[in-house]
Amino acid sequence: MKVTVKLIAMDPFSPPGFDSNGIGTFTLADGASLEDLITQLKLPDGIGEAYMTMLNEDAVPISGRAEVPLSEGDEVTVFPAIKGG
Amino acid sequence: MAWHGKLLRVNLTKGTCTPEPLNMDWVKLYLGQRGLGTKYLSEEIDPKIDPLSPDNKLIFVTGPLTGTCASTGGRYSVVTKGPLTGTVACSNSGGQFGGELKQAGWDMVIIEGKSAKPVYLMIVDGQAELLDAEGFIWGETVWDTEDAIKKRHQDPLIRIASIGGAGEGLSRYACIMNDRDRAAGRSGVGAVMGSKLLKAVAVRGTTGVAVNDPKRFLDVTREKRKILDPSPARARYSGLGTMAMMDVTQAHGSLPTLNCREVQFEHIADVNVKKQHTVRKSDGEAPYQGNKACFACSIGCGRMAKIDPDHFSIKGKARYSGVTGGLEYESAYAVGPMCGVQDVEAATYASALCNEHGMDPISFGATVAAAMELFMEGAITTEQTEGHDFSFGNAEALCWAAEVTGTAQGFGKDLGLGALRLCEKYGHPEFAMVVKGQEFPGYDPRAMQGMALGYATSNRGACHLKAAPFQDDFQRVTPDGKAKIVKDSQDYIAAIDSSGLCTFTKAAWGAPDYADQIDAACEGDWTVERLLELGERIYNLERLFNNAAGFTAKDDTLPKRVLTEPAKGGAGKGHVAELDKMLPEYYELRGWTPDGEPTTQTLSRLGLA
């Protein structure tokens, strides 16, 4: 299945597979979870970093990603937990 | 050590500048900056006074790490009773001023009384004097004030904290600006300075700051930079700045839009960070021009911008053709989506005017948004707005509003009241998106339940910097568990706000990193546990001040709109702010009564009894 991923607030860390707008299409095995997708994206690690995810318009807790299956055509938004100022 | 043990007391009524020893017993309990300033304020003024009366005091206070080589160690706070809210006000600023004040040999400056004529305070190391501002800088902008003082005293390295027209005109959300575009921004501390006829505090410091264990301090601060500097958070703050947040709140559905009628902005692409970095056809340049770092900072998040020379806002105005501070997320949200304005150049101009005239862009933008809603509902007309169409989205109206509010002219005087007083004046207090009179920052509290609680219980009114529920809020919309996250982060932040370091370092450092640096700089054992207890003590001291000023649990609330009108999109779609489900648990965790007052046991535990 294919899902669309939108990375926001990530530049200059956008990993391969994303266009200049931070949007990429990824192919996963049927039955793959949101956690599987995040692992596949190979986001950079860092102290204090945690990546937030939204599946379509719903926020998904980090702790619950492994139990959230993805479906063909899903849209996933990924962003770091930054603060304004 | 790390403290000089010395404060400067300036009595404007008498025209005196008097050194005093710092109360080192209080330092042990309140550290510096926010904590120590609040302790002095609580001891020296009656919380019930009029904030704009001579009885109020204005305290410029550094932290133990201010002026040192610790990364971001340039922060200072201004503590006073705030004229926007009537609560204790503590506004934190960076730039170079705080480090300079500390290097001049002062931990704190307490301003009291009221001058008979406009003056400015000149500090050169251990010497301080009040000088005449009438016919010199009174009536001038922040930018011209800084230039004039440096020229008169023939020293470009003098650092200046001053007020502009908003402070002189007693706008309820006037800032104290330093280094042109850094601000002790919130709660109207600049109006208190204006009420005392004090135009500026200028300082030149060459004495340095001693620390308890210099070698260990150098080793520890170097070690902490090795954590901070390579972190993704630091690179993002530097690379994109705080503006990166706008795409996040847009996606999440927590971007306050059209005075919180909406939670997402349909024209986001016209005002977001990508637009800020997009090269214009007119002059071949992008609004974003580069970064600006504060004293000792290795992050460098500050944005510098250049306005399109062809934009209507600056036609014929050469003083705005150069590079100026902005846009940052909070100002951009307020003068952009909150007002429905989809013009990044107009937003940059409005933000620049906030710097030039010394007013809080968050409160200014949210007040203009409230005025726009009043206009849309017919409560104000072109009669008040001097012919300007105040419909949501009108960039021309926004720019005009910044001009007249910054100079306290005409309808600008109404806008300078802040959203609550403006909306009350025109019969619709429900249009004011405020807590305790202070306007919302850039997070809608319906999708962010922790932020809802953080706004409601912040000791200075609606604030995004006094609690840190972001990470949990971006994962869960439900209110369960938020009370502990908010309470713990409020205490933690109160300690950081008292250290001399910047709150943005939280993205890379944990509590032990702060404790290690303070412990190396200061005498005594500074552990994580001691810091967190100190933070809780400060939070409760602020609460005691507010309670004594007349605030109760009834004031720990939010505007009716976010309590009753569900969000229309994003992760919080269908949700309202569920404050009633969080407040009782929060009070219990705090050790407060159901009326929101610290219990005797809590006060005793924290040494506040």
Side-chain angles (χ1 to χ4, degrees):
Chain A
M1 64 176 164
K2 288 186 176 178
V3 298
T4 301
V5 182
K6 185 175 185 183
L7 281 181
I8 54 179
M10 289 288 286
D11 186 59
F13 302 108
S14 294
F18 291 87
D19 66 17
S20 61
N21 291 315
I23 297 173
T25 303
F26 293 83
T27 302
L28 295 103
D30 287 347
S33 70
L34 184 55
E35 184 65 30
D36 296 329
L37 171 67
I38 298 301
T39 303
Q40 184 173 324
L41 293 179
K42 299 189 186 311
L43 298 171
D45 292 327
I47 295 168
E49 287 286 80
Y51 294 99
M52 309 290 108
T53 46
M54 295 178 66
L55 175 56
N56 302 316
E57 276 215 318
D58 294 326
V60 181
I62 295 172
S63 60
R65 282 179 195 152
E67 285 76 47
V68 175
L70 295 175
S71 303
E72 177 75 24
D74 274 345
E75 293 184 2
V76 177
T77 305
V78 180
F79 57 90
I82 60 170
K83 295 181 278 290
Chain B
M1 295 296 250
W3 296 281
H4 300 293
K6 199 168 73 170
L7 70 84
L8 177 66
R9 187 175 296 276
V10 178
N11 188 306
L12 293 170
T13 307
K14 298 176 182 172
T16 56
C17 300
T18 312
E20 284 182 16
L22 193 69
N23 187 323
M24 298 308 290
D25 289 334
W26 291 353
V27 164
K28 292 171 187 170
L29 294 170
Y30 298 96
L31 192 56
Q33 260 189 290
R34 178 176 164 186
L36 193 60
T38 304
K39 178 61 177 173
Y40 269 89
L41 188 79
S42 297
E43 294 288 337
E44 295 197 6
I45 75 165
D46 178 350
K48 294 190 187 307
I49 61 165
D50 175 354
L52 297 180
S53 73
D55 295 333
N56 200 2
K57 299 195 181 188
L58 187 69
I59 301 175
F60 292 75
V61 54
T62 65
L65 299 185
T66 307
T68 72
C69 63
S71 186
T72 77
R75 309 298 298 191
Y76 76 100
S77 294
V78 178
V79 181
T80 187
K81 178 171 177 174
L84 184 64
T85 59
T87 65
V88 64
C90 176
S91 292
N92 183 314
S93 182
Q96 307 295 321
F97 177 83
E100 196 76 17
L101 179 63
K102 188 74 176 286
Q103 298 229 350
W106 302 99
D107 297 309
M108 181 188 296
V109 179
I110 299 177
I111 311 285
E112 55 191 29
K114 179 181 179 179
S115 179
K117 59 183 181 179
V119 293
Y120 68 103
L121 174 63
M122 185 74 213
I123 300 171
V124 180
D125 293 333
Q127 302 299 312
E129 59 181 334
L130 290 165
L131 300 172
D132 200 346
E134 188 77 69
F136 173 43
I137 48 176
W138 191 256
E140 300 296 332
T141 69
V142 165
W143 299 345
D144 291 339
T145 295
E146 292 199 12
D147 290 344
I149 291 175
K150 289 178 181 182
K151 186 176 179 184
R152 170 182 275 190
H153 295 275
Q154 288 292 291
D155 188 347
L157 293 179
I158 292 170
R159 303 298 181 180
I160 297 146
S162 68
I163 57 170
E168 291 184 22
L170 307 183
S171 164
R172 295 276 170 169
Y173 49 84
C175 301
I176 297 173
M177 303 296 302
N178 60 273
D179 304 289
R180 294 184 73 87
D181 46 35
R182 298 292 102 189
R186 301 227 70 189
S187 308
V189 295
V192 176
M193 193 154 153
S195 74
K196 296 182 177 302
L197 298 183
L198 178 64
K199 177 68 176 178
V201 178
V203 61
R204 184 73 177 96
T206 62
T207 65
V209 178
V211 293
N212 188 45
D213 185 341
K215 181 178 185 312
R216 182 171 159 233
F217 187 69
L218 281 173
D219 289 343
V220 169
T221 53
R222 192 179 293 121
E223 173 195 325
K224 301 309 176 187
R225 279 195 57 168
K226 286 179 182 174
I227 297 171
L228 175 65
D229 293 359
S231 70
R234 180 257 161 202
R236 194 175 47 253
Y237 273 129
S238 174
L240 295 177
T242 57
M243 276 291 284
M245 179 57 88
M246 192 175 285
D247 288 325
V248 172
T249 51
Q250 168 77 1
H252 186 246
S254 46
L255 174 59
T257 301
L258 302 178
N259 204 33
C260 293
R261 286 179 168 186
E262 309 286 340
V263 294
Q264 291 166 315
F265 187 42
E266 63 176 318
H267 302 294
I268 181 79
D270 293 322
V271 289
N272 65 359
V273 68
K274 187 167 186 180
K275 183 69 176 182
Q276 195 181 23
H277 286 249
T278 300
V279 173
R280 297 178 290 247
K281 288 180 182 171
S282 59
D283 62 348
E285 297 192 53
Y288 167 72
Q289 296 280 307
N291 293 18
K292 185 176 181 181
C294 300
F295 183 96
C297 179
S298 58
I299 300 174
C301 71
R303 303 286 102 175
M304 301 303 291
K306 185 167 181 280
I307 302 167
D308 184 344
D310 289 344
H311 191 259
F312 73 84
S313 63
I314 65 166
K315 279 286 177 70
K317 302 174 186 172
R319 71 190 273 115
Y320 304 107
S321 63
V323 176
T324 184
L327 282 168
E328 306 292 346
Y329 172 64
E330 299 299 340
S331 49
Y333 123 77
V335 298
M338 189 66 163
C339 295
V341 169
Q342 58 185 94
D343 179 341
V344 75
E345 306 293 348
T348 306
Y349 175 72
S351 171
L353 258 58
C354 286
N355 290 339
E356 184 185 23
H357 298 303
M359 53 185 176
D360 173 11
I362 299 176
S363 288
F364 165 71
T367 301
V368 171
M372 287 178 164
E373 183 154 13
L374 288 167
F375 186 86
M376 303 291 278
E377 297 296 324
I380 62 173
T381 68
T382 51
E383 185 180 342
Q384 283 83 28
T385 65
E386 300 173 36
H388 293 271
D389 176 3
F390 255 57
S391 299
F392 278 125
N394 188 345
E396 184 275 333
L398 171 76
C399 294
W400 177 78
E403 291 163 0
V404 296
T405 309
T407 51
Q409 298 176 47
F411 188 58
K413 291 179 184 172
D414 276 357
L415 293 172
L417 294 170
L420 181 59
R421 289 175 174 85
L422 175 80
C423 291
E424 285 177 341
K425 179 173 180 176
Y426 292 104
H428 288 277
E430 73 276 15
F431 292 168
M433 295 301 114
V434 300
V435 174
K436 300 182 177 74
Q438 180 156 284
E439 292 77 9
F440 280 10
Y443 307 91
D444 191 285
R446 285 167 284 200
M448 300 180 71
Q449 299 290 330
M451 191 62 76
L453 183 61
Y455 281 1
T457 59
S458 161
N459 286 322
R460 68 171 187 179
C463 180
H464 63 295
L465 293 169
K466 303 299 183 193
F470 298 89
Q471 189 162 323
D472 194 72
D473 276 356
F474 286 139
Q475 298 181 66
R476 302 184 306 118
V477 179
T478 54
D480 59 289
K482 302 292 187 184
K484 181 168 173 49
I485 291 167
V486 169
K487 186 264 183 193
D488 288 351
S489 61
Q490 286 173 335
D491 295 344
Y492 180 42
I493 289 169
I496 297 171
D497 281 351
S498 303
S499 69
L501 302 179
C502 176
T503 190
F504 282 5
T505 55
K506 293 199 306 296
W509 287 343
D513 298 311
Y514 299 101
D516 288 349
Q517 294 181 88
I518 295 168
D519 191 58
C522 305
E523 291 172 323
D525 294 323
W526 288 91
T527 62
V528 168
E529 294 72 24
R530 183 177 174 185
L531 274 182
L532 295 180
E533 183 186 65
L534 177 142
E536 186 178 10
R537 182 180 303 117
I538 293 166
Y539 213 86
N540 278 271
L541 181 66
E542 292 173 335
R543 181 75 179 192
L544 288 174
F545 182 98
N546 290 348
N547 287 345
F551 290 86
T552 69
K554 290 178 183 170
D555 299 296
D556 294 340
T557 190
L558 293 163
K560 185 180 173 186
R561 173 164 294 167
V562 299
L563 290 172
T564 61
E565 298 175 21
K568 296 174 183 172
K573 186 176 182 179
H575 289 262
V576 297
E578 299 182 78
L579 205 51
D580 56 334
K581 294 182 180 171
M582 298 182 283
L583 267 175
E585 183 187 359
Y586 174 85
Y587 287 161
E588 190 174 339
L589 285 169
R590 276 247 168 256
W592 294 354
T593 69
D595 294 326
E597 295 187 356
T599 63
T600 306
Q601 295 92 325
T602 299
L603 296 178
S604 179
R605 177 172 60 81
L606 296 170
L608 291 167

